[in-house]
Amino acid sequence: MWPQLIRYALPSFTNNWLTLMKTTALVSIIGLEDIVYTALSAGRTSQKPFVFLLTVLIIYLALMAISDIVLRLVERRYNRGVTFPQGRFHA
């Protein structure tokens, strides 16, 4: 019973998780705006702002990619054995 309920809740949960990661605090400690502001400040001091902003970009994309991959794997696990109607695309 639980796997069936989880299967229906996962797409909504995945969407909410990724939205929260993008709009609120990353790792629940430092917000994205704080990270970008710190990177800009460090870049101004060292005269290399793109190095710091590129580092922030890579860290942020890594967090998003890891979250997306893990949630897709979980969704695939709970959709195992489920048949979908003809013509519906599902990854």
Side-chain angles (χ1 to χ4, degrees):
M1 180 171 161
W2 280 105
Q4 186 177 13
L5 295 176
I6 292 173
R7 183 173 63 86
Y8 290 121
L10 270 175
S12 177
F13 174 77
T14 300
N15 185 38
N16 286 335
W17 174 260
L18 292 175
T19 300
L20 284 172
M21 286 285 290
K22 291 175 185 175
T23 60
T24 61
L26 292 172
V27 193
S28 300
I29 297 172
I30 302 172
L32 180 61
E33 292 178 20
D34 296 335
I35 293 172
V36 172
Y37 176 75
T38 303
L40 283 172
S41 297
R44 282 188 214 121
T45 303
S46 68
Q47 302 296 322
K48 297 180 182 180
F50 291 112
V51 173
F52 290 95
L53 289 175
L54 186 63
T55 303
V56 168
L57 171 73
I58 291 169
I59 292 169
Y60 183 70
L61 286 177
L63 285 173
M64 300 284 34
I66 290 169
S67 292
D68 188 46
I69 290 168
V70 168
L71 290 169
R72 282 179 192 241
L73 290 173
V74 170
E75 186 175 357
R76 185 180 298 163
R77 162 69 173 92
Y78 281 103
N79 282 335
R80 190 178 302 156
V82 176
T83 56
F84 293 98
Q86 196 75 1
R88 178 179 172 191
F89 174 77
H90 195 273

